[in-house]
Amino acid sequence: MKKEYLIITFLLILGILPALSQNSGCPSQTYILDHPYQVEKITPPKGHKIKNVILMIGDGMSLMHVYSAWTANRGKLWLDNSQYIGLSKTYCSNRLITDSGAGGTALATGYKTNYHSVGVDTNGKPLKSLCTLAKEKGKSSGIAVTCRLWDATPADFCCHNVDRDQEMAIVTDYVDCGIDYVFGGGAAYFENRPDGRDLFKELQNKSYQTPRNWEDVENVKNGKVFAIPYEKDTPIPAERGDLLARASLKGLDLLNQNKKGFFMMIEGSQLDDYGHSNDLDMLMQETMDFDRTIGEVLKWAAKDGETLVVITADHETGGLTLVDGDLNEGKIVCKFSTNEHSGVMVPVYSFGPGSENFSGIYENTDIFWKIKKLLKL
Ligand SMILES: [Zn+2]
């Protein structure tokens, strides 16, 4: 008997197991970054005062996304300038594998909630987000995203609904949010609505400037801004260029006019979309666009000296796995294991004063409580 087992084991090792492993899951995809981008070393500020916090969310971004982008860019990312690293547990109240609604609500409000909920607790009660709490303390707040504003992550910071699919209702909450700077897509649901409301007019009545193209955003010098230059999502990275970085820096400069400081959320929104569609090429383009935005934000924060930057994700999307590659060629070979989100802790990177508070392993909700405490909200 022992001999038979040995033979079977031997055969398995020789042939069957490798064959099985080669055929397991989805086919692999190869991506090569033809033109790597430059990355600089950023010297962190020395002071300890925290006046501002910038929370950056890569929607669906796991260590695999980061390491794949790092490999494709020949072993360098702006993200490598982070000073401390932690791990965040992303499960939500009623499911192990969260969605952006519940995942972002945890980051925005400090409470785990039900799958598909935005900005409400498990009973459907509206929760105050970091944006709202900052306003209550006399600080300014803002968001910049590349997706439509009814998408879950931006909605988590300004809107309240048990069902993220109630998009037409969700966007009306932006009118009463009190936020100082918004940049994103999704103008389609702000006007010509079935209920007859014109949300742009309502925002203007609340002293918002509502620029509808980038030139007009650029020309704003002060005051409250609600900028939606696109009907739905912003264009793909190859077409929009460094739009997210520009929109983020514009927001930072406007919010920074408040002597009491600010809270800002910046999202690389569409990593998630290409994780869902298992499109490695577009996923890497979005991940690297987000990384370059991180570079601009870290440079701004280093110069400011009183700004803490926290960079994380709400969950992983696509079950991305790097199975081969070449650092010198900037080549990656990856597989996806799902069209949905997967269950894994996501990294939390931090830079600037207070960044040491983000090392360790903790719940996604703790990111909110740490920021709240550090900003004295
Ligand atoms: Zn998400």
Side-chain angles (χ1 to χ4, degrees):
M1 284 298 278
K2 270 186 182 173
K3 200 176 173 186
E4 283 164 8
Y5 275 124
L6 273 175
I7 291 165
I8 290 166
T9 308
F10 186 65
L11 283 174
L12 278 169
I13 292 166
L14 261 188
I16 298 167
L17 275 183
L20 274 177
S21 68
Q22 276 165 17
N23 293 325
S24 67
C26 300
S28 61
Q29 296 178 34
T30 300
Y31 172 85
I32 297 172
L33 179 63
D34 292 327
H35 305 290
Y37 58 88
Q38 289 304 310
V39 167
E40 294 159 28
K41 176 117 190 66
I42 303 172
T43 308
K46 292 209 167 59
H48 297 288
K49 189 186 167 195
I50 306 166
K51 186 173 142 198
N52 316 308
V53 173
I54 304 167
L55 175 61
M56 302 185 72
I57 302 174
D59 199 321
M61 183 181 80
S62 75
L63 276 178
M64 271 294 176
H65 297 66
V66 172
Y67 199 69
S68 299
W70 176 86
T71 305
N73 199 38
R74 317 301 196 268
K76 50 185 188 287
L77 285 181
W78 287 100
L79 200 44
D80 291 346
N81 281 296
S82 304
Q83 292 177 269
Y84 291 87
I85 313 296
L87 290 170
S88 158
K89 297 171 193 170
T90 63
Y91 67 94
C92 68
S93 286
N94 57 351
R95 290 205 197 179
L96 179 66
I97 314 297
T98 191
D99 77 315
S100 298
T105 297
L107 300 172
T109 72
Y111 291 93
K112 295 209 185 239
T113 190
N114 291 332
Y115 194 83
H116 260 224
S117 286
V118 288
V120 295
D121 68 12
T122 52
N123 296 315
K125 194 178 132 238
L127 294 163
K128 284 182 183 176
S129 78
L130 288 167
C131 289
T132 315
L133 293 171
K135 291 299 298 172
E136 287 180 359
K137 289 284 169 164
K139 290 176 178 283
S140 292
S141 64
I143 60 175
V145 301
T146 59
C147 61
R148 58 222 174 268
L149 285 166
W150 59 80
D151 205 10
T153 311
D156 287 324
F157 286 81
C158 279
C159 313
H160 312 281
N161 206 298
V162 291
D163 178 10
R164 62 180 283 183
D165 291 337
Q166 298 300 313
E167 298 166 339
M168 201 59 88
I170 282 172
V171 293
T172 64
D173 288 346
Y174 282 107
V175 177
D176 303 314
C177 176
I179 196 165
D180 298 277
Y181 177 83
V182 172
F183 181 94
Y189 288 5
F190 281 73
E191 56 191 355
N192 303 316
R193 294 167 51 88
D195 62 6
R197 288 176 69 177
D198 183 334
L199 302 187
F200 284 120
K201 279 220 177 74
E202 292 183 29
L203 286 162
Q204 286 156 13
N205 290 340
K206 294 205 168 185
S207 323
Y208 282 96
Q209 300 156 83
T210 57
R212 300 290 292 275
N213 58 62
W214 175 252
E215 288 68 36
D216 289 347
V217 178
E218 222 171 12
N219 288 331
V220 174
K221 296 287 179 273
N222 47 50
K224 287 161 77 165
V225 181
F226 209 102
I228 320 185
Y230 302 97
E231 288 296 295
K232 288 187 177 166
D233 295 326
T234 64
I236 60 171
E239 290 169 18
R240 70 174 191 255
D242 61 348
L243 180 67
L244 182 59
R246 280 181 278 137
S248 301
L249 292 177
K250 185 69 190 179
L252 294 176
D253 286 340
L254 289 171
L255 297 173
N256 199 37
Q257 291 175 12
N258 185 339
K259 296 278 176 285
K260 289 183 176 172
F262 64 82
F263 169 80
M264 184 170 187
M265 189 282 283
I266 298 167
E267 186 194 31
S269 313
Q270 285 153 303
L271 281 78
D272 179 65
D273 297 347
Y274 300 113
H276 280 293
S277 59
N278 289 180
D279 184 336
L280 183 63
D281 185 330
M282 290 304 299
L283 178 57
M284 285 300 106
Q285 288 187 45
E286 287 288 353
T287 307
M288 287 185 268
D289 175 65
F290 187 53
D291 181 58
R292 287 189 293 265
T293 304
I294 290 166
E296 293 304 311
V297 169
L298 292 184
K299 281 192 276 183
W300 190 97
K303 205 171 146 200
D304 177 73
E306 297 181 343
T307 301
L308 162 68
V309 185
V310 180
I311 306 153
T312 189
D314 48 354
H315 53 77
E316 195 276 347
T317 309
L320 183 71
T321 309
L322 181 67
V323 292
D324 200 0
D326 189 309
L327 261 174
N328 295 319
E329 292 173 30
K331 175 181 158 186
I332 53 169
V333 183
C334 294
K335 288 187 176 189
F336 292 92
S337 64
T338 177
N339 291 108
E340 301 297 335
H341 301 168
S342 75
V344 65
M345 288 192 280
V346 292
V348 185
Y349 303 85
S350 55
F351 176 91
S355 55
E356 67 278 7
N357 292 281
F358 291 84
S359 66
I361 302 171
Y362 41 83
E363 300 291 341
N364 52 3
T365 47
D366 288 336
I367 295 170
F368 166 94
W369 295 107
K370 288 173 195 285
I371 292 173
K372 184 176 181 289
K373 190 175 168 195
L374 293 169
L375 260 189
K376 300 187 177 70
L377 298 179

Coordinates of all heavy atoms in Angstrom, one line a residue, residues 98-178:
T98 N -17.2 43.1 2.0 CA -18.0 44.4 2.0 C -18.1 45.0 0.6 O -17.5 44.5 -0.4 CB -17.3 45.5 2.9 OG1 -18.1 46.6 3.1 CG2 -16.0 46.0 2.3
D99 N -18.9 46.0 0.5 CA -19.0 46.8 -0.8 C -18.5 48.2 -0.4 O -18.1 48.5 0.7 CB -20.5 46.9 -1.3 CG -21.3 47.8 -0.5 OD1 -21.2 47.8 0.7 OD2 -22.0 48.6 -1.2
S100 N -18.5 49.1 -1.5 CA -17.9 50.4 -1.2 C -18.8 51.2 -0.3 O -18.4 52.1 0.4 CB -17.8 51.1 -2.6 OG -16.9 50.5 -3.4
G101 N -20.1 50.9 -0.3 CA -21.1 51.6 0.5 C -20.7 51.4 2.0 O -20.4 52.4 2.7
A102 N -20.7 50.2 2.4 CA -20.4 49.9 3.9 C -18.9 50.2 4.2 O -18.6 50.6 5.2 CB -20.8 48.5 4.2
G103 N -18.0 49.8 3.2 CA -16.6 50.0 3.4 C -16.2 51.5 3.6 O -15.5 51.8 4.5
G104 N -16.8 52.3 2.7 CA -16.5 53.7 2.8 C -17.2 54.4 4.0 O -16.7 55.3 4.6
T105 N -18.4 53.9 4.4 CA -19.1 54.4 5.5 C -18.3 54.2 6.8 O -18.2 55.1 7.7 CB -20.5 53.8 5.7 OG1 -21.3 54.1 4.6 CG2 -21.2 54.2 7.0
A106 N -17.6 53.1 6.9 CA -16.7 52.8 8.1 C -15.6 53.8 8.1 O -15.3 54.3 9.2 CB -16.2 51.4 7.9
L107 N -15.0 54.1 7.0 CA -13.9 55.1 7.0 C -14.5 56.5 7.3 O -13.8 57.3 7.9 CB -13.2 55.1 5.6 CG -12.6 53.8 5.2 CD1 -12.1 53.9 3.8 CD2 -11.4 53.4 6.1
A108 N -15.6 56.8 6.7 CA -16.2 58.2 6.8 C -16.8 58.5 8.2 O -16.8 59.6 8.6 CB -17.2 58.4 5.7
T109 N -17.4 57.5 8.8 CA -18.3 57.7 10.0 C -17.8 57.0 11.2 O -18.4 57.2 12.3 CB -19.7 57.4 9.7 OG1 -19.8 55.9 9.7 CG2 -20.2 58.0 8.4
G110 N -17.0 56.0 11.1 CA -16.5 55.2 12.3 C -17.4 54.1 12.7 O -17.2 53.5 13.7
Y111 N -18.4 53.8 11.8 CA -19.3 52.6 12.2 C -19.4 51.7 11.0 O -19.6 52.0 9.9 CB -20.7 53.2 12.5 CG -20.8 53.9 13.8 CD1 -20.6 55.3 13.8 CD2 -20.9 53.2 15.0 CE1 -20.6 56.0 15.0 CE2 -20.9 54.0 16.2 CZ -20.8 55.3 16.2 OH -20.8 56.0 17.4
K112 N -19.3 50.4 11.4 CA -19.6 49.3 10.4 C -21.1 49.3 10.1 O -21.9 49.4 11.1 CB -19.1 48.0 10.9 CG -17.6 47.9 11.0 CD -17.0 46.5 10.8 CE -15.5 46.5 11.1 NZ -14.7 46.1 10.0
T113 N -21.5 49.2 8.9 CA -22.9 49.2 8.6 C -23.2 48.0 7.6 O -22.4 47.2 7.3 CB -23.4 50.5 8.0 OG1 -24.8 50.6 8.0 CG2 -22.8 50.8 6.6
N114 N -24.5 48.0 7.2 CA -24.9 46.9 6.3 C -24.4 47.1 4.9 O -24.3 48.2 4.4 CB -26.5 46.8 6.3 CG -27.0 46.3 7.6 OD1 -26.3 45.6 8.3 ND2 -28.2 46.8 7.9
Y115 N -24.2 46.0 4.2 CA -23.9 46.0 2.8 C -24.8 46.9 2.0 O -26.0 46.8 2.2 CB -24.0 44.5 2.3 CG -23.4 44.2 1.0 CD1 -22.0 43.9 0.9 CD2 -24.2 44.1 -0.2 CE1 -21.5 43.6 -0.3 CE2 -23.6 43.8 -1.4 CZ -22.3 43.6 -1.5 OH -21.7 43.3 -2.7
H116 N -24.2 47.7 1.1 CA -25.0 48.6 0.3 C -25.5 49.9 0.9 O -26.2 50.7 0.3 CB -26.2 47.9 -0.4 CG -25.9 47.5 -1.8 ND1 -26.7 47.6 -2.9 CD2 -24.7 46.9 -2.4 CE1 -26.2 47.2 -4.0 NE2 -25.0 46.8 -3.7
S117 N -25.3 50.1 2.2 CA -25.7 51.3 2.9 C -24.7 52.4 2.7 O -23.5 52.1 2.6 CB -25.9 51.1 4.4 OG -27.1 50.3 4.6
V118 N -25.1 53.6 2.6 CA -24.2 54.8 2.6 C -24.5 55.8 3.6 O -25.6 56.3 3.7 CB -24.1 55.5 1.2 CG1 -23.5 54.6 0.1 CG2 -25.5 55.9 0.7
G119 N -23.5 56.0 4.5 CA -23.7 57.1 5.5 C -24.8 56.9 6.6 O -25.2 57.9 7.2
V120 N -25.2 55.7 6.8 CA -26.2 55.4 7.8 C -25.8 54.2 8.6 O -25.0 53.4 8.1 CB -27.6 55.1 7.2 CG1 -28.2 56.3 6.5 CG2 -27.6 53.9 6.3
D121 N -26.3 54.1 9.9 CA -26.0 52.9 10.7 C -26.8 51.7 10.3 O -27.6 51.8 9.3 CB -26.0 53.2 12.2 CG -27.5 53.5 12.7 OD1 -28.4 53.2 11.9 OD2 -27.6 54.0 13.8
T122 N -26.7 50.6 11.0 CA -27.5 49.4 10.7 C -29.0 49.5 10.8 O -29.7 48.7 10.3 CB -27.0 48.2 11.5 OG1 -27.1 48.6 12.9 CG2 -25.6 47.8 11.2
N123 N -29.4 50.6 11.5 CA -30.9 50.9 11.6 C -31.3 51.9 10.6 O -32.5 52.4 10.6 CB -31.2 51.4 13.0 CG -30.9 50.3 14.1 OD1 -31.3 49.2 13.9 ND2 -30.2 50.7 15.1
G124 N -30.4 52.4 9.7 CA -30.8 53.4 8.7 C -30.7 54.8 9.2 O -31.1 55.7 8.5
K125 N -30.1 55.0 10.4 CA -30.0 56.3 11.0 C -28.8 57.0 10.4 O -27.7 56.5 10.4 CB -29.8 56.2 12.5 CG -30.1 57.6 13.3 CD -29.9 57.3 14.8 CE -29.0 58.4 15.4 NZ -27.9 57.9 16.1
P126 N -28.9 58.3 9.9 CA -27.8 59.0 9.3 C -26.7 59.2 10.3 O -26.9 59.5 11.5 CB -28.4 60.4 9.0 CG -29.9 60.1 8.8 CD -30.2 59.1 9.8
L127 N -25.4 59.0 9.8 CA -24.2 59.2 10.7 C -23.5 60.4 10.2 O -23.5 60.8 9.0 CB -23.4 58.0 10.5 CG -23.9 56.7 11.1 CD1 -23.1 55.5 10.5 CD2 -23.9 56.7 12.6
K128 N -22.8 61.1 11.1 CA -22.0 62.3 10.8 C -20.6 61.8 10.2 O -20.0 60.9 10.8 CB -21.8 63.1 12.0 CG -23.0 64.0 12.4 CD -22.7 64.8 13.6 CE -23.9 65.6 14.0 NZ -23.7 66.4 15.2
S129 N -20.2 62.3 9.1 CA -18.9 62.0 8.5 C -17.8 62.9 9.0 O -18.1 64.0 9.6 CB -19.0 62.0 7.0 OG -19.0 63.3 6.5
L130 N -16.6 62.6 8.6 CA -15.5 63.5 8.9 C -15.7 64.8 8.3 O -15.3 65.8 8.9 CB -14.2 62.8 8.5 CG -13.7 61.6 9.3 CD1 -12.6 60.9 8.6 CD2 -13.2 62.1 10.7
C131 N -16.3 64.9 7.1 CA -16.6 66.2 6.5 C -17.5 67.0 7.4 O -17.3 68.2 7.6 CB -17.3 66.0 5.1 SG -16.1 65.3 3.9
T132 N -18.6 66.4 7.9 CA -19.6 67.1 8.7 C -18.9 67.6 10.0 O -19.1 68.7 10.5 CB -20.8 66.2 9.0 OG1 -21.2 65.6 7.8 CG2 -21.9 67.0 9.6
L133 N -18.2 66.6 10.7 CA -17.6 67.0 11.9 C -16.5 68.1 11.8 O -16.4 68.9 12.7 CB -16.9 65.7 12.5 CG -17.9 64.6 12.9 CD1 -17.1 63.3 13.3 CD2 -18.7 65.0 14.1
A134 N -15.8 68.1 10.7 CA -14.8 69.2 10.5 C -15.6 70.5 10.4 O -15.1 71.5 11.0 CB -14.0 68.9 9.2
K135 N -16.7 70.5 9.6 CA -17.5 71.8 9.5 C -17.9 72.2 10.9 O -17.9 73.4 11.2 CB -18.7 71.5 8.6 CG -18.4 71.3 7.1 CD -17.7 72.5 6.5 CE -18.5 73.7 6.5 NZ -17.7 74.9 6.0
E136 N -18.4 71.3 11.7 CA -18.9 71.7 13.0 C -17.8 72.3 13.9 O -18.1 73.0 14.9 CB -19.5 70.4 13.7 CG -20.8 70.0 13.1 CD -21.5 68.8 13.8 OE1 -20.9 68.3 14.7 OE2 -22.6 68.4 13.4
K137 N -16.6 72.0 13.6 CA -15.5 72.6 14.4 C -14.9 73.8 13.7 O -13.8 74.3 14.1 CB -14.4 71.5 14.6 CG -14.8 70.4 15.6 CD -14.7 70.9 17.0 CE -15.4 69.9 17.9 NZ -15.1 69.9 19.3
G138 N -15.5 74.3 12.7 CA -15.1 75.5 12.1 C -14.0 75.3 11.0 O -13.4 76.2 10.4
K139 N -13.7 74.0 10.8 CA -12.7 73.7 9.7 C -13.5 73.6 8.4 O -14.7 73.6 8.3 CB -12.1 72.4 10.0 CG -11.1 72.4 11.2 CD -10.5 71.0 11.5 CE -9.5 71.0 12.6 NZ -8.2 71.5 12.2
S140 N -12.7 73.5 7.3 CA -13.3 73.3 6.0 C -13.3 71.8 5.6 O -12.5 71.1 6.2 CB -12.6 74.2 4.9 OG -12.9 75.5 5.2
S141 N -14.1 71.4 4.6 CA -14.0 70.0 4.2 C -14.2 70.0 2.7 O -14.9 70.8 2.1 CB -15.0 69.2 4.9 OG -16.3 69.5 4.6
G142 N -13.7 68.9 2.1 CA -13.8 68.8 0.6 C -13.6 67.3 0.2 O -13.1 66.5 0.9
I143 N -14.0 67.1 -1.1 CA -13.8 65.8 -1.7 C -13.4 66.0 -3.2 O -13.9 66.9 -3.8 CB -14.9 64.8 -1.6 CG1 -16.2 65.3 -2.2 CG2 -15.2 64.4 -0.1 CD1 -17.4 64.3 -2.2
A144 N -12.6 65.1 -3.7 CA -12.2 65.1 -5.1 C -12.2 63.6 -5.5 O -11.5 62.8 -4.9 CB -10.9 65.8 -5.4
V145 N -13.0 63.3 -6.6 CA -13.1 61.9 -7.0 C -13.1 61.9 -8.6 O -13.4 62.9 -9.2 CB -14.4 61.2 -6.5 CG1 -14.4 61.2 -5.0 CG2 -15.6 61.9 -7.0
T146 N -12.9 60.7 -9.1 CA -13.0 60.6 -10.6 C -14.3 60.0 -11.1 O -14.5 59.8 -12.3 CB -11.8 59.8 -11.2 OG1 -11.8 58.5 -10.6 CG2 -10.5 60.5 -10.9
C147 N -15.1 59.6 -10.1 CA -16.3 58.9 -10.5 C -17.5 59.8 -10.4 O -17.4 61.0 -10.0 CB -16.6 57.7 -9.5 SG -16.8 58.2 -7.8
R148 N -18.7 59.3 -10.8 CA -20.0 60.1 -10.6 C -20.2 60.2 -9.1 O -19.9 59.3 -8.4 CB -21.1 59.3 -11.3 CG -21.3 57.9 -10.8 CD -21.5 56.9 -11.9 NE -21.5 55.5 -11.4 CZ -20.5 54.7 -11.3 NH1 -19.3 55.1 -11.8 NH2 -20.6 53.5 -10.8
L149 N -20.8 61.3 -8.7 CA -20.9 61.6 -7.3 C -22.0 60.8 -6.6 O -22.0 60.8 -5.4 CB -21.2 63.1 -7.1 CG -20.0 64.0 -7.3 CD1 -20.4 65.5 -7.5 CD2 -18.9 63.8 -6.2
W150 N -22.8 60.1 -7.4 CA -23.8 59.2 -6.7 C -23.1 57.8 -6.4 O -23.7 57.0 -5.8 CB -25.1 59.0 -7.5 CG -24.9 58.5 -8.9 CD1 -24.7 57.1 -9.2 CD2 -24.9 59.2 -10.1 NE1 -24.6 57.0 -10.6 CE2 -24.7 58.2 -11.1 CE3 -25.0 60.5 -10.4 CZ2 -24.7 58.6 -12.5 CZ3 -25.0 60.9 -11.8 CH2 -24.8 60.0 -12.8
D151 N -21.9 57.7 -6.8 CA -21.2 56.4 -6.5 C -20.9 56.4 -5.0 O -20.9 57.4 -4.3 CB -19.9 56.3 -7.3 CG -19.5 54.9 -7.5 OD1 -20.3 54.0 -7.2 OD2 -18.3 54.6 -8.0
A152 N -20.7 55.1 -4.5 CA -20.8 54.9 -3.0 C -19.7 55.7 -2.2 O -20.1 56.3 -1.2 CB -20.7 53.5 -2.7
T153 N -18.5 55.7 -2.7 CA -17.5 56.4 -1.8 C -17.7 57.8 -1.5 O -17.8 58.2 -0.4 CB -16.0 56.1 -2.3 OG1 -15.9 54.7 -2.6 CG2 -15.0 56.5 -1.3
P154 N -17.9 58.7 -2.6 CA -18.1 60.1 -2.2 C -19.5 60.2 -1.5 O -19.5 61.0 -0.5 CB -18.2 60.8 -3.6 CG -18.4 59.7 -4.6 CD -17.7 58.5 -4.0
A155 N -20.5 59.4 -1.8 CA -21.8 59.5 -1.1 C -21.6 59.2 0.4 O -22.3 59.7 1.2 CB -22.8 58.6 -1.8
D156 N -20.7 58.3 0.7 CA -20.5 57.9 2.1 C -20.1 59.1 3.0 O -20.4 59.1 4.2 CB -19.3 56.9 2.2 CG -19.8 55.5 1.7 OD1 -20.9 55.1 2.0 OD2 -18.9 54.8 1.1
F157 N -19.5 60.1 2.4 CA -19.0 61.3 3.1 C -20.0 62.4 3.2 O -19.8 63.4 3.9 CB -17.7 61.8 2.5 CG -16.5 60.9 2.8 CD1 -16.3 59.7 2.1 CD2 -15.7 61.2 3.9 CE1 -15.3 58.9 2.4 CE2 -14.6 60.3 4.2 CZ -14.4 59.2 3.5
C158 N -21.1 62.4 2.3 CA -22.0 63.5 2.3 C -23.5 63.0 2.3 O -24.4 63.9 2.6 CB -21.8 64.3 1.0 SG -20.5 65.4 1.1
C159 N -23.8 61.8 2.0 CA -25.2 61.4 1.8 C -25.6 60.3 2.8 O -24.7 59.7 3.4 CB -25.4 60.9 0.4 SG -24.6 62.1 -0.8
H160 N -26.9 60.0 2.8 CA -27.4 59.0 3.8 C -28.5 58.2 3.1 O -29.5 58.7 2.8 CB -27.9 59.7 5.0 CG -27.0 60.7 5.5 ND1 -25.9 60.4 6.3 CD2 -26.9 62.1 5.4 CE1 -25.2 61.5 6.6 NE2 -25.8 62.5 6.1
N161 N -28.3 56.9 3.0 CA -29.3 56.0 2.4 C -29.0 54.6 2.7 O -27.8 54.2 2.7 CB -29.4 56.2 0.9 CG -30.8 55.9 0.3 OD1 -31.2 54.8 0.4 ND2 -31.4 56.9 -0.2
V162 N -30.0 53.8 3.0 CA -29.8 52.4 3.3 C -29.4 51.6 2.0 O -28.9 50.5 2.0 CB -31.0 51.7 4.0 CG1 -31.1 52.2 5.4 CG2 -32.2 51.8 3.2
D163 N -29.7 52.2 0.8 CA -29.5 51.5 -0.4 C -28.8 52.4 -1.4 O -29.3 53.4 -1.9 CB -30.9 51.1 -1.0 CG -30.7 50.4 -2.4 OD1 -29.6 50.1 -2.8 OD2 -31.8 50.2 -3.0
R164 N -27.5 52.0 -1.7 CA -26.7 52.9 -2.6 C -27.3 53.0 -4.0 O -26.9 53.9 -4.8 CB -25.3 52.3 -2.7 CG -25.2 50.9 -3.2 CD -23.8 50.4 -3.3 NE -23.1 51.0 -4.4 CZ -21.8 50.6 -4.7 NH1 -21.2 49.7 -3.9 NH2 -21.2 51.2 -5.7
D165 N -28.2 52.1 -4.3 CA -28.8 52.2 -5.7 C -29.9 53.3 -5.8 O -30.3 53.6 -6.9 CB -29.4 50.8 -6.1 CG -28.3 49.8 -6.3 OD1 -27.2 50.2 -6.6 OD2 -28.6 48.6 -6.1
Q166 N -30.2 53.9 -4.7 CA -31.2 55.0 -4.8 C -30.5 56.3 -5.2 O -30.4 57.3 -4.5 CB -31.9 55.2 -3.4 CG -32.7 54.0 -2.9 CD -33.8 53.7 -3.9 OE1 -34.6 54.6 -4.3 NE2 -33.9 52.4 -4.2
E167 N -29.9 56.2 -6.4 CA -28.9 57.3 -6.8 C -29.5 58.7 -6.9 O -28.9 59.7 -6.6 CB -28.2 56.8 -8.1 CG -27.5 55.5 -7.9 CD -27.1 54.8 -9.2 OE1 -27.7 55.1 -10.3 OE2 -26.1 54.0 -9.2
M168 N -30.7 58.7 -7.5 CA -31.4 60.0 -7.7 C -31.7 60.7 -6.4 O -31.6 61.9 -6.3 CB -32.7 59.7 -8.5 CG -33.2 60.9 -9.3 SD -32.1 61.6 -10.5 CE -32.4 60.7 -12.0
A169 N -32.0 59.9 -5.4 CA -32.3 60.5 -4.1 C -31.0 60.8 -3.4 O -30.9 61.9 -2.7 CB -33.1 59.5 -3.2
I170 N -30.0 60.0 -3.5 CA -28.7 60.2 -2.8 C -28.1 61.5 -3.2 O -27.6 62.2 -2.3 CB -27.7 59.0 -3.2 CG1 -28.1 57.8 -2.3 CG2 -26.3 59.4 -2.9 CD1 -27.4 56.5 -2.7
V171 N -28.0 61.9 -4.4 CA -27.3 63.1 -4.8 C -28.0 64.4 -4.2 O -27.3 65.4 -4.0 CB -27.2 63.3 -6.3 CG1 -26.3 62.3 -6.9 CG2 -28.5 63.3 -7.1
T172 N -29.3 64.3 -3.9 CA -29.9 65.5 -3.3 C -29.3 65.9 -1.9 O -29.4 67.0 -1.5 CB -31.5 65.3 -3.1 OG1 -31.7 64.3 -2.2 CG2 -32.1 65.0 -4.4
D173 N -28.7 64.9 -1.2 CA -28.1 65.1 0.1 C -26.9 66.1 0.0 O -26.5 66.7 1.0 CB -27.7 63.8 0.7 CG -28.9 63.0 1.2 OD1 -30.0 63.6 1.3 OD2 -28.7 61.8 1.5
Y174 N -26.3 66.1 -1.2 CA -25.1 67.0 -1.3 C -25.5 68.5 -1.1 O -24.7 69.3 -0.6 CB -24.5 66.9 -2.7 CG -23.6 65.7 -2.9 CD1 -24.1 64.6 -3.7 CD2 -22.4 65.6 -2.3 CE1 -23.3 63.5 -3.9 CE2 -21.6 64.5 -2.5 CZ -22.1 63.4 -3.3 OH -21.3 62.3 -3.5
V175 N -26.8 68.8 -1.4 CA -27.2 70.2 -1.2 C -27.1 70.7 0.2 O -26.8 71.8 0.5 CB -28.7 70.4 -1.8 CG1 -29.1 71.8 -1.6 CG2 -28.7 70.0 -3.3
D176 N -27.4 69.7 1.1 CA -27.4 70.1 2.6 C -26.2 69.6 3.3 O -26.1 69.8 4.5 CB -28.7 69.4 3.2 CG -30.0 69.8 2.5 OD1 -30.1 71.0 2.3 OD2 -30.8 68.9 2.2
C177 N -25.2 69.1 2.6 CA -24.0 68.6 3.2 C -23.1 69.6 3.9 O -22.5 69.4 4.9 CB -23.2 67.8 2.2 SG -21.7 67.1 2.8
G178 N -23.1 70.8 3.3 CA -22.3 71.9 3.9 C -20.8 71.8 3.6 O -20.0 72.6 4.0

